Amino acid sequence: MGPKVLLVEDSNSLAILYKQYVKDEAYDLFHVETGKDAKRFIQHHTPQLVILDLKLPDTTGEEILDWINEQEVATSVIIATAHGSVNTAVNLIQKGADDFLEKPITADRLKTSVALHLKRTKLESLVNKFESKFDRPNYHGFIGSSLPMQAVYKIIDAAAPTTASVFINGESGTGKEVCAEAIHKQSKRADKPFVALNCGAIPRDLMESEIFGHVKGAFTGATTDRKGAAMQAHGGTLFLDELCEMELEMQKKLLRFLQTGSVTPLGSSKELKGDVRIICATNKDPLKEIEAGRFREDLYYRVHVIPITLPPLRERDKDIATLAKHFVKLYAKQDGKKFTGLTAETEARLKNYPWPGNVRQLQNIMRNVVVLNDGTKVEVSQLPPPLNTVSVNTTAVTKAPIKPVTTVHMTAESMAPESITPAPVDAERHQATAPVTQFESASPDEKTHHAPTTHAPTTHDAQAMPNNVARAEEYVIKPMWQVERETIQNAIKHCDGNVINAAVLLDLSPSTVYRKKQQWETEDDLQTSE
């Protein structure tokens, strides 16, 4: 038996046609006509893919999708929809559907889409099997079973039994102190003190006293002797968070302590021996801080023995819903609320958000929801802005690496998106000329009808242009709306009509591409009727 594909379609004639389309494919297509039969089939023979019609005799495709999400069935779902229901299909994608097919469905479109999603399902299954071998959903305060977190757990396992210094790097809110505590709890020092110190929150005048302590009379207000963090952590672990915020003079004294294991309290001449394991953390790039002269290179190499980089929440896809449910249940129990989890649409919305504040931001949002709302499952409308308003595009994250724009050069006959070369900036006018597109060579007539009025290129302009656009007069200069339309339409055609894949190639939100496609089709219909 090959992979199982379930077609939920109330039209027998369409079902026969689709079966004919895929009769030679390496999977088995099963057909049911009602939502009740679909549920029964899924419960007894979990399919790898479900092709789901929106309108059924006894229910709707949306209700079946909600049921699949509630039951946490490991299957992909493709929505089959008529032209007028594209907006509904887009909404269902936000609720967890993987794609949609617009009727009438062609043979090539059906076979391509099914093959693509079956391949993805197979890859996800392999990843899940791999993760299950090392799966630890919880680890000393961490919650998450994603591959990035499993890698972190493995490093902690290896580093914890040693006395080597650990340097934790990660964005704010990723759990650097949780990581430090996990190392301490996994080490042989677990029964000894764990002392955490945030170097960015301590005034520079008090830093030395906080770390090394002071004696009575060392400064105004020092009425008693006081142990510093280094001696408080004797036999255990000292965690120095935001180490790059420490002043250079204090970095020098810290380096001496790390090299000798001796501290001299402020105002005293007596050295004290301390047995401390050092863990440091920062949300800055230490190498850039060294280049800027704000961080000592010798201290960096002293503490940067075992580096651990904590992944941002946006890279921990499967952990986002797990963490959100944990926080919801935790705060509901504390505040006497009835919340037990999230709706499928809320889960999808959380997964599509970039989380610039990482786990700390997610925690605060769930706290906000529980305090201000009532219910059993968190709805999208209960989320604070911007999560409750629009579908969030993850490409808007400023902290994420910026992807370079790749120019694809293809022939006009291939109908694929062609390159658009930005026009050079005229140094004398400080304005950018109109963009030059390379879709086709322009005839004199086409230039008359399409090219907007612009200044004639000067010698300076020609010298400033790259070789591939030096002869700009040979190409059509089109308005941006026309360039946008042709680019998107060509991308969709290049992807055999798959709007989702086209949106990925264009680095756009699928809903944006759907909306523009519908708008252009409506305009074309109006022009035809006139």
Side-chain angles (χ1 to χ4, degrees):
M1 294 287 287
K4 292 187 286 290
V5 177
L6 175 63
L7 173 66
V8 187
E9 170 62 64
D10 61 337
S11 170
N12 243 338
S13 58
L14 283 178
I16 293 171
L17 179 64
Y18 297 156
K19 286 182 179 180
Q20 186 67 24
Y21 285 165
V22 301
K23 65 179 182 179
D24 297 325
E25 300 300 311
Y27 49 81
D28 300 305
L29 182 67
F30 299 87
H31 170 233
V32 296
E33 297 183 6
T34 66
K36 181 179 179 181
D37 290 338
K39 290 180 180 179
R40 185 183 298 113
F41 183 94
I42 293 171
Q43 286 174 330
H44 292 87
H45 315 279
T46 304
Q48 281 72 37
L49 177 66
V50 177
I51 303 174
L52 184 59
D53 191 22
L54 276 180
K55 295 181 179 180
L56 299 170
D58 58 340
T59 184
T60 65
E62 183 172 0
E63 289 182 3
I64 298 297
L65 177 64
D66 289 340
W67 178 83
I68 289 173
N69 289 329
E70 288 172 3
Q71 300 296 315
E72 298 183 350
V73 180
T75 186
S76 296
V77 178
I78 298 177
I79 302 296
T81 176
H83 173 70
S85 303
V86 171
N87 286 335
T88 303
V90 173
N91 292 333
L92 293 185
I93 285 177
Q94 294 177 349
K95 295 184 71 171
D98 297 279
D99 198 356
F100 79 80
L101 295 170
E102 189 175 345
K103 295 180 178 179
I105 303 172
T106 63
D108 288 343
R109 180 74 175 90
L110 178 63
K111 289 190 286 188
T112 300
S113 186
V114 171
L116 175 69
H117 288 287
L118 284 179
K119 185 178 292 186
R120 195 188 76 171
T121 302
K122 183 178 179 180
L123 289 173
E124 288 178 350
S125 176
L126 291 173
V127 170
N128 290 334
K129 286 181 180 178
F130 178 78
E131 288 180 342
S132 65
K133 294 181 180 179
F134 310 98
D135 189 21
R136 283 182 281 186
N138 301 290
Y139 185 86
H140 293 301
F142 278 118
I143 296 174
S145 58
S146 62
L147 282 177
M149 291 310 298
Q150 297 299 323
V152 170
Y153 303 159
K154 190 174 180 180
I155 296 174
I156 293 175
D157 284 339
T162 71
T163 58
S165 299
V166 179
F167 196 92
I168 306 169
N169 190 260
E171 294 178 8
S172 179
T174 50
K176 293 186 286 293
E177 186 167 344
V178 176
C179 182
E181 285 193 75
I183 295 169
H184 175 73
K185 292 175 182 176
Q186 191 70 11
S187 72
K188 299 173 183 177
R189 299 169 177 257
D191 59 340
K192 301 296 181 181
F194 173 83
V195 180
L197 206 62
N198 189 326
C199 300
I202 301 172
R204 66 177 66 178
D205 297 336
L206 298 179
M207 180 66 74
E208 185 174 357
S209 172
E210 285 292 326
I211 295 179
F212 301 134
H214 62 258
V215 297
K216 180 179 179 180
F219 52 86
T220 304
T223 56
T224 59
D225 292 352
R226 182 180 181 277
K227 281 185 178 181
M231 294 309 297
Q232 291 176 26
H234 180 68
T237 304
L238 175 60
F239 173 54
L240 299 175
D241 198 4
E242 306 301 348
L243 182 65
C244 289
E245 302 294 335
M246 185 181 288
E247 293 232 319
L248 287 171
E249 186 61 30
M250 190 60 208
Q251 291 178 29
K252 182 178 179 181
K253 294 178 180 179
L254 176 63
L255 178 62
R256 183 180 181 278
F257 164 62
L258 296 177
Q259 290 172 338
T260 65
S262 300
V263 300
T264 303
L266 196 62
S268 173
S269 57
K270 183 180 179 182
E271 283 192 344
L272 304 175
K273 282 287 184 179
D275 173 24
V276 178
R277 201 254 181 92
I278 295 290
I279 301 177
C280 302
T282 182
N283 62 359
K284 295 183 177 180
D285 185 339
L287 295 178
K288 289 184 179 179
E289 294 299 300
I290 291 172
E291 289 179 8
R294 293 187 292 266
F295 193 61
R296 291 179 64 98
E297 189 173 8
D298 49 2
L299 177 59
Y300 170 75
Y301 288 117
R302 182 64 182 79
V303 297
H304 197 272
V305 179
I306 301 176
I308 297 179
T309 300
L310 294 181
L313 185 57
R314 61 182 170 273
E315 294 178 5
R316 300 170 54 187
D317 181 63
K318 66 181 295 184
D319 293 341
I320 295 174
T322 304
L323 283 163
K325 291 174 186 176
H326 167 76
F327 292 134
V328 164
K329 292 177 182 178
L330 174 66
Y331 295 133
K333 184 177 180 180
Q334 289 180 0
D335 299 339
K337 296 294 184 78
K338 297 180 180 179
F339 285 109
T340 58
L342 320 169
T343 65
E345 189 176 3
T346 301
E347 284 193 29
R349 186 66 59 90
L350 295 180
K351 287 180 180 178
N352 287 332
Y353 184 66
W355 298 109
N358 294 294
V359 179
R360 185 183 294 120
Q361 183 187 10
L362 175 62
Q363 182 176 2
N364 291 340
I365 283 177
M366 292 301 103
R367 182 66 165 148
N368 172 286
V369 169
V370 172
V371 169
L372 299 181
N373 299 278
D374 289 304
T376 56
K377 290 197 173 183
V378 177
E379 305 280 348
V380 169
S381 59
Q382 295 172 334
L383 298 172
L387 284 161
N388 64 344
T389 52
V390 294
S391 180
V392 183
N393 186 355
T394 56
T395 58
V397 190
T398 56
K399 288 186 178 180
I402 299 174
K403 298 179 180 177
V405 177
T406 304
T407 304
V408 182
H409 296 281
M410 304 184 74
T411 61
E413 289 79 5
S414 68
M415 296 304 290
E418 308 260 355
S419 61
I420 301 175
T421 306
V425 176
D426 189 327
E428 296 177 0
R429 297 173 177 79
H430 299 287
Q431 293 178 341
T433 58
V436 179
T437 64
Q438 300 180 18
F439 285 101
E440 56 186 340
S441 296
S443 65
D445 291 339
E446 287 172 328
K447 292 177 188 176
T448 302
H449 293 293
H450 298 291
T453 304
T454 183
H455 72 279
T458 64
T459 303
H460 172 77
D461 293 328
Q463 292 174 348
M465 291 182 182
N467 292 334
N468 62 329
V469 292
R471 296 177 60 82
E473 66 275 7
E474 295 181 5
Y475 300 96
V476 175
I477 300 175
K478 300 178 181 178
M480 279 305 299
W481 66 265
Q482 189 174 351
V483 172
E484 178 190 53
R485 175 169 179 169
E486 290 179 352
T487 302
I488 291 176
Q489 288 178 335
N490 286 336
I492 294 172
K493 189 167 185 178
H494 177 65
C495 295
D496 297 324
N498 190 318
V499 178
I500 298 286
N501 289 350
V504 172
L505 290 176
L506 294 167
D507 202 15
L508 293 175
S509 168
S511 59
T512 300
V513 179
Y514 291 136
R515 186 176 63 254
K516 289 182 179 294
K517 179 175 179 289
Q518 272 193 297
Q519 177 186 338
W520 295 327
E521 288 174 351
T522 303
E523 290 173 356
D524 291 344
D525 291 342
L526 289 174
Q527 289 177 0
T528 303
S529 62
E530 291 174 358

